[in-house]
Amino acid sequence: KEARAIVGSDRFLVIHLKAPMDVCEKRHDKGLYKALEKGDKHHVPGKTAPYEEPKNPDLVLKTDEDDPKECAEKIVGLLREKGFLL
C-alpha cells in the first residue's frame, strides 16, 4: 500500500509470482529449507513467518505451470496494456 501511494497508482503494478511451497523448496539451491528441517531459525514467509498473498495483483504468474518465456510475455503484455511500453 505504501509503495503504491508513494509511486502513484498510475505508475505501480503488483505482479504476484505464485508457486506451491514444495516447488519453492525444490528451486532454492542455497539449502535454506534443509536448514529449517535441521532446526535453524530463519524467517521464511509461508514456512516460519506469516505470508499473505497480494489481495488484488495486476497479474498472477503461476511459475510452476508457465515457463519463463510465457511469464515474460505476460509481463510485457501487461506493461503494454497499461501504457508503460509502446
Side-chain angles (χ1 to χ4, degrees):
K1 290 181 191 179
E2 291 178 35
R4 185 182 299 268
I6 291 168
V7 174
S9 291
D10 59 328
R11 298 175 46 209
F12 188 87
L13 299 172
V14 174
I15 299 174
H16 177 49
L17 305 177
K18 185 174 185 166
M21 185 58 68
D22 64 314
V23 172
C24 294
E25 290 175 8
K26 287 177 189 170
R27 289 179 177 168
H28 197 277
D29 62 353
K30 303 290 187 213
L32 178 63
Y33 293 97
K34 295 219 184 292
L36 289 176
E37 291 173 12
K38 293 178 184 175
D40 288 0
K41 306 267 190 240
H42 294 286
H43 294 289
V44 179
K47 269 302 225 198
T48 59
Y51 174 73
E52 294 180 30
E53 289 188 13
K55 289 191 180 4
N56 295 305
D58 297 285
L59 178 63
V60 176
L61 298 174
K62 295 180 179 180
T63 63
D64 61 318
E65 297 175 12
D66 297 336
D67 68 40
K69 184 178 178 182
E70 288 175 299
C71 291
E73 288 170 354
K74 289 178 181 183
I75 292 169
V76 169
L78 176 64
L79 293 172
R80 283 197 174 112
E81 175 188 318
K82 297 293 184 176
F84 291 99
L85 297 175
L86 302 176

